Amino acid sequence: MSVLAHSAPGASAPHVWGSADPWTHALRTGRGPLFLHRRDGWLLPLDVERWCAEPDEADRTVLGRCRGSVLDIGCGPGRLVGSLAARGVPVLGIDVSAEAVRRTERAGGPALVRSVFETLPGEGRWDTVLLMDGNIGIGGDPAALLGRVAEIAGPRGTVIVEAAQDEELDELVEVRLHDGRRAHGGAFPWARVGLAALLRHARAAGWAPRLTWAADARHFAALHR
């Protein structure tokens, strides 16, 4: 899985991210450094090496909770999509990066170059939707994103979301991609939410927690409608 992709309607981030040379280079080489850069100089490291590797133990706790058909939003290089496809699970990854989609396909999984805010195959019928590796930040509005996911998932569908380590973290920032030397491209909105904040946003969007868990210092929630 990768992380960042897509944006809310009307924002420019899909074009920024989908054509971002540092991200394309990171996907092709399978390594960073790569960061999200805030105007005040703050840098958030992006875990490119992990995303381009095989699923780790924490990932496997998520894979084991996927039921039925699975949509991976912001699939990145496709470690989860490829693993699910190898198990015979009906799965699709979407990402605004063409290179991410190519890597996902090479990993053995189907994927489309698509934003979550565009029309998607199987809308209203997906059993499990994944928002991993910080992808709850897409568009800078977690409640709006979860509202969109409610349109995508089936009536009894589940969304599995990865939250930030800081449980109370709830912030909206404008960021650019940074390769460790300089920032690239235009700024786009991004949200970071810990578990407590995630559950507040989820309730506002009509989701309720089914289960929360932690693995290898990563935090997850499975939500149902």
Side-chain angles (χ1 to χ4, degrees), residues 62-86:
V62 173
L63 294 170
R65 290 178 169 92
C66 290
R67 298 289 181 268
S69 57
V70 181
L71 177 70
D72 187 352
I73 294 171
C75 64
R79 73 184 191 278
L80 300 182
V81 176
S83 180
L84 289 167

Side-chain angles (χ1 to χ4, degrees), residues 8-111:
S12 61
H15 306 291
V16 171
W17 190 263
S19 61
D21 286 342
W23 178 227
T24 299
H25 178 74
L27 287 173
R28 287 176 178 168
T29 62
R31 62 181 184 271
L34 195 64
F35 306 87
L36 294 185
H37 175 260
R38 199 165 60 192
R39 290 180 180 177
D40 62 3
W42 169 89
L43 292 172
L44 175 68
L46 301 181
D47 203 352
V48 176
E49 289 83 358
R50 179 173 63 81
W51 300 338
C52 290
E54 293 297 313
D56 61 17
E57 184 174 348
D59 293 330
R60 289 191 286 273
T61 70
V62 173
L63 294 170
R65 290 178 169 92
C66 290
R67 298 289 181 268
S69 57
V70 181
L71 177 70
D72 187 352
I73 294 171
C75 64
R79 73 184 191 278
L80 300 182
V81 176
S83 180
L84 289 167
R87 301 180 187 191
V89 174
V91 61
L92 176 68
I94 61 167
D95 202 294
V96 296
S97 164
E99 183 63 29
V101 167
R102 283 191 287 269
R103 278 203 62 139
T104 299
E105 292 173 338
R106 289 198 297 271

